[in-house]
Amino acid sequence: MTALTEEKALKPTKNLYPHIHLQWFASAEDEGRTEAPSDLKLRKAREEGRVPKSQELTGGLVLLLPVLTLVLLAPWLLQGFVQIIRYYMERCTTANITDGELMVEFLYSMVRMVLPIAATAIVAGVVANVIQNKGFIFTTKTIEPKISKILPKFGEYFKKTLFSFEGAFNVVKSIVKVAVIFIAAYLLIRSDVPHLLTLMNTNFWDGIVFISEMTAKLLIITSVIFIIIAIPDYIVQRKQFMESMKMTKQEVKQEYKETEGDPLVKSKLRQYMHEMLRRNIPAAVAKSDVVITNPTHYAVAIQYDSATMAGPMVTAKGVDSLARRIREIAAENKVPLVENRPLARALYAEVEIGEMVPENYYQALAVILANVYNAKGK
């Protein structure tokens, strides 16, 4: 009996709960994405329309500005509605319902009254996005049809909505938003209860005006609450966005190779170029204007053509045996040899073959070239 009990205790029990993969709870660090996103990745994401933003700010402004516009234009809108009612009442017994003039007048009146509010809502939405995106973003990539957007991804959906910080924050945000709006509405209506009780003794128009004012105040308070909630919401959204943009070390290396080039390949190309230049040393030295020497250990050949070059260029350089070979080639081709130990060492150490001489050496080099040109009668 004891053996059976121990065997049963050691035997794994069946999981009574649905299988939930631990990867759903993984963070960016758990997935190996420990590196901050590069400027290139953030720029590409921006070009694709992926930027951190709070929908609460957009909703708040889109609600606030049209409500304010509605309040300001209320007398004008009321007058327009009265004109429409009067226009149709005068023709309701004589005109045909299919009359084109009636349809044109109806469409014109509705567009004229709705357009200011609709335009205000559009402007509010654009301003909200410009503020959060720090400028205009125009892209069609977000609306491009993709099969991946159509196929359901329940795992990712539940991971994002239920088993993540973002999902928990959205739930708490919604609860707080509803609670605050409910409290604001309750306090507003409670303060107007005495006035509401007197509406039975007032005329119809005064009742409409009072209810309209109370509704406008409630909408304005609601939009302001949305805008206030948008501040912490945007901070969280930006933090989550930067977390999602993190990169692995391999991605950083790959991006560096794509932008800056593979260091190994660049080194090989540089070595190959130097080898090609070494093979062309006789021709390069023969075309040079002057060879600056150490005098025995270093030799640097300089060429300058004001018509084709932006500045003096190092065409060949060498140390010890190669320096001796450069001096021999220069002597064979009657290229002047000028001894300047500091300049020869500096140019050999800082300037590669085929590169222009830095500007800080122009003054010393100008004196040498001037003397060489004077000697040649240039």
Side-chain angles (χ1 to χ4, degrees), residues 300 340-351 361:
V300 180
N340 190 320
R341 300 189 180 192
L343 184 59
R345 286 178 174 270
L347 293 178
Y348 182 85
E350 299 180 20
V351 187
Y361 298 117

Side-chain angles (χ1 to χ4, degrees), residues 2 16 28 44 54 68 74 89 92 108 179 182 198 222 233 242 247 256 259 287 292 319 371 375:
T2 305
L16 300 178
K44 287 183 177 179
S54 171
L68 294 177
M89 286 297 182
C92 63
Y108 169 75
F182 176 80
T198 62
T222 302
D233 183 51
M242 297 301 291
M247 308 168 65
Y256 178 79
T259 55
K287 295 179 181 179
I292 303 173
V319 63
N371 293 331

Side-chain angles (χ1 to χ4, degrees), residues 115-170:
L115 185 60
I117 302 174
T120 304
I122 294 173
V123 171
V126 172
V127 169
N129 283 278
V130 169
I131 292 174
Q132 297 181 87
N133 301 339
K134 300 178 181 179
F136 287 94
I137 299 177
F138 179 79
T139 178
T140 58
K141 292 185 178 181
T142 54
I143 59 175
E144 290 179 357
K146 291 184 179 180
I147 300 298
S148 59
K149 294 181 179 180
I150 301 175
L151 296 177
K153 298 180 180 179
F154 296 107
E156 293 185 6
Y157 172 78
F158 286 116
K159 174 185 174 182
K160 185 176 181 179
T161 56
L162 299 178
F163 306 104
S164 67
F165 173 79
E166 183 180 359
F169 177 78
N170 289 332

Side-chain angles (χ1 to χ4, degrees), residues 157-192:
Y157 172 78
F158 286 116
K159 174 185 174 182
K160 185 176 181 179
T161 56
L162 299 178
F163 306 104
S164 67
F165 173 79
E166 183 180 359
F169 177 78
N170 289 332
V171 171
V172 174
K173 180 181 67 176
S174 300
I175 294 174
V176 171
K177 185 166 57 176
V178 172
V180 172
I181 292 174
F182 176 80
I183 294 173
Y186 172 76
L187 295 177
L188 178 63
I189 296 174
R190 182 182 177 181
S191 63
D192 290 334

